[in-house]
Amino acid sequence: SQLEFLITNTAFEASLPKHLQRTKDIFIFGCTVGLRYQDLMRLKQQHIQFTDAGVNIILHTQKTGTEVTIPLPDYAVAIFNKYRRKGGNYVLPRLSSTNLNLQLKELIKKAGWNYNLPKIKQRQGEPIEIKNNNGKVFKFYEHITVHTMRRTAITSLLLLGVDENSV
């Protein structure tokens, strides 16, 4: 429901400054395709294939060298078209993972998802709550990183009934 909100809520998007609109687009695209951050940032126009059946990403992933074919829904194609530039090589605006992480936290906080969400780690089999830099319980938005895109895509595919081995 949170991803759907980011995809469909035009009033929220209009309320964002340009840099957070860009961050939102990158996040939505990443949550849809499920690529690792490095592969997402190196996506080039040549990796996008237009066919009668639809639009796909075809890419050899950097870490595993595996070729993947990812069908793009209409909203992801719209994001692709939004950033498509003549003479530009890359599909999405390029941001460092550090800047994207900072902007994602700001975006999610602006969306109002600032409820407490404790961070728990296991130490010697015992659950220990980790506090943030201010010594307080972590907020939801503080957990969001570039890797959240990949985890969200995986969760979405599993909820849609895609076979676990395929995912």
Side-chain angles (χ1 to χ4, degrees):
S1 64
Q2 291 168 322
L3 181 58
E4 184 178 351
F5 171 85
L6 293 175
I7 293 168
T8 61
N9 193 311
T10 54
F12 174 68
E13 180 173 9
S15 75
L16 295 172
K18 290 288 184 204
H19 77 283
L20 289 183
Q21 289 178 18
R22 178 190 62 201
T23 299
K24 180 187 77 70
D25 289 339
I26 293 169
F27 186 71
I28 289 169
F29 199 89
C31 287
T32 301
V33 300
L35 292 171
R36 289 179 180 85
Y37 168 78
Q38 293 85 353
D39 289 324
L40 190 64
M41 286 294 109
R42 73 179 188 90
L43 266 182
K44 293 187 176 181
Q45 307 275 344
Q46 67 198 36
H47 296 126
I48 306 296
Q49 180 187 59
F50 294 87
T51 68
D52 292 338
V55 182
N56 295 305
I57 293 174
I58 299 178
L59 173 75
H60 279 86
T61 60
Q62 193 170 13
K63 184 175 179 180
T64 63
T66 306
E67 183 177 271
V68 294
T69 300
I70 305 165
L72 295 179
D74 292 341
Y75 66 85
V77 174
I79 291 170
F80 165 74
N81 287 329
K82 181 177 180 179
Y83 296 101
R84 187 183 217 174
R85 293 184 307 264
K86 289 187 177 168
N89 284 331
Y90 294 98
V91 169
L92 296 171
R94 312 231 328 129
L95 284 174
S96 71
S97 61
T98 301
N99 283 334
L100 187 54
N101 279 334
L102 291 170
Q103 290 177 23
L104 283 173
K105 287 170 181 30
E106 184 181 354
L107 170 71
I108 299 306
K109 188 175 183 181
K110 282 191 180 294
W113 303 323
N114 56 2
Y115 51 87
N116 288 341
L117 184 64
K119 186 181 245 186
I120 308 294
K121 297 228 174 179
Q122 295 287 326
R123 288 203 183 126
Q124 298 177 345
E126 296 293 320
I128 305 289
E129 183 178 342
I130 308 298
K131 304 289 186 180
N132 70 12
N133 290 339
N134 300 326
K136 297 184 178 178
V137 173
F138 275 87
K139 300 287 187 178
F140 176 78
Y141 69 87
E142 293 175 299
H143 290 276
I144 305 300
T145 67
V146 295
H147 193 63
T148 304
M149 297 182 291
R150 189 163 168 82
R151 290 193 314 257
T152 300
I154 290 167
T155 300
S156 296
L157 289 169
L158 292 173
L159 289 173
L160 288 169
V162 177
D163 173 60
E164 200 172 305
N165 289 329
S166 299
V167 174

